[in-house]
Structures are given as C-alpha cells and as structure tokens.
Amino acid sequence: MASINIGIPAEQRAAIAQGLSRLLAETYTLYLTTHNFHWNVTGKMFNTLHTMFMDQYTEMWNAVDPIAERIRALGFHAPGSYAEFAKLSTLPDAPAKPPKAMEMVELLAKGHEALARTARDIFPVVDAADDQPSADVLTQRMDIHEKTAWMLRALLED
C-alpha cells in the first residue's frame, strides 16, 4: 500500500479509525434493531411508529457509508461483517422476541443516546489530530442521534 501523508500521523489515524469503526458497528447494530422494530411493531401507535422507525433506519443506512469511507480515507479497512460488528459494538442486539411498542421506543432512545456518547468519546482524539473531516462526521452523528433520542423520549411522556 502506498504511504499516506494527509497531515495526520499514522498513530493518530489508527486511533481515529478504531473509534470510527466502533461508531460504524454501533450504527449498523442500531440500524438493524430499528428495522426489526419497523417490521414487528404493533398496537395503537402502529402507523406512527412504523413510519418513524422507517425514517430512522433509512437515516442510519445513509450514515454508514460516510463513516466507512472516512475510515478508508484514513488508510484502514472498514469493518463490514456481523462478526466484526458484534466485537466492536457495545449495543445489545435486538431482542429475540419483539417487545411492546413503547418498550421498542425506549430501547431505541437508549440506543441513540449511546451512539451520541460513542461519537462524543471519539471527538477528543479527532480534535487532537486536527482532523476536521472526521470531526464533521462526528458532529453530524451527535446532532442526529441526540435529536432522535429526544423525539423518542417525547413519545414516552404521559
């Protein structure tokens, strides 16, 4: 492989790629859980939640490519198997038996909060490396996940 000189030392690029790989794995895990809930939601809020979950999984589906491509731009392979994602992600897999609708909402809110925390955890490494493209990816992900968590939590209010 050709040497990479983008102004970020190899050690910092590796640390950023490692963090982004975790973010990618967790995004894909939450994407899959959200898609599962979209298929399996029932109850009085079916239409609302079915549509909301579709919007959410579509947004995450569109997010995985920029995260993976940033990892590649840093000079590392992007993880792309369920086995790799399972090793990297701290998020639990979707429950084997679909939960009730409001439990789905609660689980997804917690998942989005976790993704916001993951992105925030990586930020100091990215900031120290003066890596604006990775910072941009992380800022966008934090914004989306924090807003989505807020909207899901709003559904849990009485």
Side-chain angles (χ1 to χ4, degrees):
M1 178 181 222
S3 92
I4 297 171
N5 183 4
I6 59 172
I8 302 170
E11 187 175 294
Q12 285 181 312
R13 285 187 295 104
I16 294 166
Q18 181 179 11
L20 290 174
S21 293
R22 179 175 157 210
L23 182 65
L24 177 62
E26 292 182 352
T27 301
Y28 205 91
T29 300
L30 189 59
Y31 155 80
L32 190 58
T33 297
T34 307
H35 213 148
N36 175 315
F37 290 174
H38 165 80
W39 292 325
N40 292 299
V41 68
T42 59
K44 295 176 186 174
M45 300 235 353
F46 170 80
N47 261 353
T48 300
L49 294 177
H50 185 74
T51 300
M52 177 186 273
F53 296 164
M54 182 173 64
D55 291 344
Q56 291 171 3
Y57 76 67
T58 301
E59 191 286 324
M60 285 184 280
W61 177 252
N62 289 321
V64 294
D65 204 49
I67 298 167
E69 288 179 354
R70 185 64 196 148
I71 295 166
R72 294 296 295 139
L74 291 167
F76 296 87
H77 293 285
S81 71
Y82 288 122
E84 287 177 294
F85 288 162
K87 286 180 191 172
L88 291 165
S89 179
T90 62
L91 296 182
D93 198 1
K97 179 183 176 195
K100 298 285 186 191
M102 286 301 109
E103 188 179 343
M104 289 177 176
V105 170
E106 186 175 1
L107 288 169
L108 292 178
K110 288 178 180 177
H112 283 281
E113 289 172 349
L115 276 169
R117 288 191 307 272
T118 294
R120 187 165 275 105
D121 287 347
I122 303 164
F123 211 91
V125 177
V126 168
D127 196 37
D130 201 26
D131 180 2
Q132 291 86 3
S134 294
D136 185 50
V137 168
L138 295 174
T139 301
Q140 289 178 43
R141 299 317 310 150
M142 285 186 286
D143 183 50
I144 292 291
H145 293 299
E146 289 173 5
K147 285 180 182 175
T148 303
W150 155 58
M151 291 179 186
L152 288 162
R153 286 190 311 266
L155 287 171
L156 299 171
E157 299 272 329
D158 286 333

